């Protein structure tokens, strides 16, 4: 009888303990029709902005984002821990777009000009870039409204007059193309020291640069659709970045970082004049056992997919990255074409071979 009671007691106690342990993790929701004044704990109480959901995440939580377009830049420091997997995901992969640009209004020919078109465009901040979306061209910024007439594929924003001038990349009328105006001169998603964070099924577009970013950001001076700084055991899966300054990037330099995975991602049409190093569609800086697998990059400035240097220690000095075969990083089953400088590239350090 005592044994039966003991077995019954443990049968009752163990599931309760499991439930109690799991109660610390939660799923939060974001939707275009949400409200940041809500608590985000159900679809009916979803947040409106992804940043609100990102700020509310604790280690082990899941942030589920409903289909739609979200005009915002995202940033978080210290998300997740090594004991739990923290997830930021699209409810349906490929249906969530985080945008730094707005659709441009209709352009009309400028009187007396052959190749310049103008639209009314009032904005509280400068237009960072104009994207010719159908041709995957990022128009170059010009200092006045006269230059676009003589330089195809350029633009000028007269903020005081509320006018946006463009010349098309191919000499065809502006009405033959589709344009977006980038307004956020920063990264789409910028995570500093993330731990076991999974980012899944998101797209980033329209994030560009007015100048080099500060070196303390550790992004090589560039603006990125998605960038992880000093990440450990993180996963970026089924994400894409297009028509940003640069695409998807990692920086794994310090000891204790690395072992990150970029999987089934795509980057195209990312290009910028602002960079301090080897940028591209998908880039791993100072790699430590990082893997880019089954990913695609095309028509980016500089490089398609590349590993730039090593996070490990120099010869005769060991840290957790050291110059050892077990610490090599890897590009596996990737495809790249049409990138400006090279499609696939590995640049090593300390005679370390990835």
């Amino acid at each position: 009888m005592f044994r039966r009671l003991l077995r019954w007691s443990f049968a009752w106690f163990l599931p309760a303990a499991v439930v109690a342990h799991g109660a610390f993790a939660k799923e939060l929701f974001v939707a275009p029709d949400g409200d940041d004044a809500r608590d985000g704990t159900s679809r009916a109480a979803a947040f409106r902005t992804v940043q609100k959901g990102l700020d509310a995440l604790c280690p082990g939580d899941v942030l589920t984002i409903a289909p739609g377009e979200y005009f915002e830049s995202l940033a978080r420091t210290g998300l997740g821990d090594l004991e739990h997997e923290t997830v930021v995901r699209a409810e349906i992969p490929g249906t969530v777009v985080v945008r730094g640009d707005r659709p441009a209004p209709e352009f009309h020919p400028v009187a007396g000009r052959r190749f310049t078109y103008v639209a009314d465009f009032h904005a509280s901040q400068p237009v960072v870039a104009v994207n010719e979306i159908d041709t995957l061209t990022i128009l170059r910024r010009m200092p006045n409204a006269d230059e676009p007439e003589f330089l195809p594929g350029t633009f000028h924003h007269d903020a005081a007059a509320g006018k946006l001038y463009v010349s098309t990349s191919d000499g065809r009328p502006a009405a033959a193309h589709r344009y977006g105006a980038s307004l956020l001169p920063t990264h789409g998603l910028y995570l500093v020291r993330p731990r076991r964070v999974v980012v899944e099924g998101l797209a980033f577009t329209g994030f560009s640069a007015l100048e080099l970013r500060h070196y303390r950001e550790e992004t090589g001076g560039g603006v990125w659709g998605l960038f992880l700084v000093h990440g450990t055991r993180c996963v970026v899966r089924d994400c894409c970045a297009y028509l940003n300054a640069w695409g998807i990037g990692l920086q794994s330099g310090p000891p204790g970082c690395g072992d990150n995975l970029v999987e089934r991602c795509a980057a195209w049409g990312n290009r910028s004049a602002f960079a301090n190093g080897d940028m591209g569609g998908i880039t791993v800086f100072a790699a430590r056992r990082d893997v880019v697998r089954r990913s695609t990059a095309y028509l980016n400035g500089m490089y398609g997919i590349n590993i730039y240097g090593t996070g490990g220690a120099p010869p005769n000095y060991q840290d957790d990255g050291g110059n050892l075969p077990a610490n090599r990083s890897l590009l596996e089953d990737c495809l790249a074409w049409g990138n400006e400088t090279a499609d696939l590239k590995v640049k090593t350090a300390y005679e370390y071979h990835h």
Side-chain angles (χ1 to χ4, degrees):
M1 180 66 179
F2 176 77
R3 289 193 182 95
R4 285 200 299 271
L5 286 173
L6 191 62
R7 284 198 300 270
W8 179 86
S9 298
F10 274 103
W12 175 86
F13 175 78
L14 287 175
V18 170
V19 170
H21 176 76
F24 291 102
K26 59 184 180 296
E27 184 172 11
L28 299 173
F29 298 87
V30 176
D33 60 352
D35 186 339
D36 282 351
R38 299 170 182 166
D39 64 11
T41 56
S42 68
R43 284 175 174 80
F47 296 127
R48 171 64 185 86
T49 64
V50 182
Q51 184 64 58
K52 180 70 173 182
L54 203 62
D55 290 340
L57 281 180
C58 295
D61 290 349
V62 175
L63 181 64
T64 298
I65 307 169
E69 294 186 341
Y70 299 84
F71 179 75
E72 54 181 312
S73 59
L74 310 171
R76 174 76 190 267
T77 297
L79 179 60
D81 63 26
L82 295 181
E83 287 69 50
H84 307 86
E85 185 174 85
T86 304
V87 180
V88 179
R89 68 180 183 186
E91 184 173 30
I92 303 172
T95 66
V96 172
V97 183
V98 181
R99 307 193 71 103
D101 65 340
R102 298 283 197 189
E106 183 179 357
F107 287 94
H108 302 281
V110 174
R113 301 282 176 90
R114 291 183 60 194
F115 302 110
T116 308
Y117 300 82
V118 65
D120 292 327
F121 195 86
H122 297 276
S124 58
Q125 64 265 59
V127 173
V128 184
V130 173
N131 300 322
E132 196 173 81
I133 297 170
D134 56 299
T135 66
L136 300 181
T137 302
I138 300 177
L139 305 188
R140 291 172 293 158
R141 183 183 181 88
M142 291 292 118
N144 58 63
D146 296 323
E147 301 288 345
E149 181 69 9
F150 305 99
L151 295 170
T154 60
F155 81 96
H156 173 71
H157 180 218
D158 186 339
K163 300 291 184 182
L164 183 61
Y165 298 87
V166 301
S167 63
T168 66
S169 66
D170 56 8
R172 300 172 65 201
H177 298 289
R178 181 185 170 202
Y179 291 96
S182 294
L183 297 172
L184 300 179
T186 188
H187 316 286
L189 174 60
Y190 178 70
L191 298 181
V192 179
R193 296 189 300 278
R195 299 290 183 263
R196 284 192 66 188
V197 174
V198 177
V199 181
E200 194 166 45
L202 307 184
F204 301 88
T205 188
F207 295 94
S208 202
L210 283 170
E211 59 187 2
L212 281 172
R213 305 296 291 186
H214 198 281
Y215 74 92
R216 289 195 181 96
E217 290 190 6
E218 300 195 63
T219 64
V223 162
W224 298 76
L226 182 158
F227 201 92
L228 308 185
V229 181
H230 304 171
T232 303
R233 295 168 58 190
C234 294
V235 177
V236 179
R237 179 181 293 122
D238 296 325
C239 290
C240 62
Y242 59 97
L243 290 174
N244 304 288
W246 305 107
I248 295 170
L250 311 175
Q251 210 284 7
S252 300
C257 301
D259 297 291
N260 301 295
L261 171 65
V262 177
E263 183 175 46
R264 300 197 304 267
C265 290
W268 66 92
N270 301 289
R271 181 183 300 267
S272 176
F274 300 105
N276 268 340
D278 293 3
M279 309 295 191
I282 300 174
T283 299
V284 182
F285 294 101
R288 287 177 181 264
R289 303 170 304 279
D290 297 314
V291 176
V292 181
R293 175 185 298 149
R294 294 195 291 277
S295 293
T296 305
Y298 57 96
L299 301 180
N300 296 286
M302 290 199 196
Y303 299 94
I305 301 175
N306 81 106
I307 297 174
Y308 182 58
T310 300
N316 305 315
Y317 179 87
Q318 296 301 320
D319 65 9
D320 75 336
N323 190 17
L324 300 172
N327 290 318
R328 293 173 180 168
S329 295
L330 175 68
L331 305 183
E332 180 182 6
D333 294 338
C334 292
L335 180 64
W337 70 93
N339 300 284
E340 185 178 72
T341 305
D343 293 317
L344 299 170
K345 188 265 301 183
V346 175
K347 181 177 182 179
T348 62
Y350 307 128
E351 299 181 341
Y352 181 117
H353 299 286
H354 297 296

